[in-house]
Amino acid sequence: MAHYAFLDAGSVVTEVIAGIDETELIEGLLPETWYGNFRGQVCKRTSYNGNIRFIYAVIGYSFVATRDAFIAPKPWASWVLDEATCRWGAPVPMPSAGGPWTWDEDTESWVAV
């Protein structure tokens, strides 16, 4: 079994379904193509373990074709995208001691809770 994400015109995930294995053909087409044609939407395969397109697609995530990756919405204005993982990160590392920590966007720093 594989999972597939449907995208709207802005490349935002609108639905994720479980479907047939990605190596099986439907009417001679790969599942991504067949599901996309059937629904009239762009369809992209996704995987729980991140082996495909970096992270598992979730409704509201974006698909960035130039990276062939799903990317979560940016959680804070100051956070930056890690190009290697396609995940958002704070502009300063979270402290390794103490905590638990929460991000304070006003001061752009980690604050112990």
Side-chain angles (χ1 to χ4, degrees):
M1 177 181 354
H3 293 88
Y4 300 89
F6 291 98
L7 311 177
D8 68 12
S11 294
V12 175
V13 177
T14 60
E15 184 180 2
V16 180
I17 64 164
I20 67 168
D21 188 72
E22 67 278 4
T23 59
E24 296 180 41
L25 298 179
I26 307 171
E27 298 173 355
L29 299 172
L30 291 172
E32 252 185 19
T33 304
W34 191 89
Y35 288 132
N37 290 347
F38 182 77
R39 294 281 296 272
Q41 287 180 272
V42 173
C43 177
K44 297 290 178 181
R45 186 169 162 233
T46 187
S47 69
Y48 279 119
N49 59 17
N51 287 341
I52 297 170
R53 301 188 167 112
F54 293 91
I55 57 178
Y56 186 75
V58 174
I59 292 172
Y61 282 26
S62 295
F63 177 74
V64 179
T66 56
R67 294 191 172 132
D68 194 31
F70 290 105
I71 299 177
K74 190 173 186 176
W76 303 102
S78 64
W79 283 34
V80 293
L81 188 66
D82 181 326
E83 298 292 332
T85 64
C86 289
R87 295 178 188 271
W88 297 105
V92 295
M94 185 171 54
S96 56
W101 302 96
T102 189
W103 181 251
D104 181 356
E105 183 65 10
D106 292 333
T107 62
E108 293 188 11
S109 64
W110 293 99
V111 177
V113 261

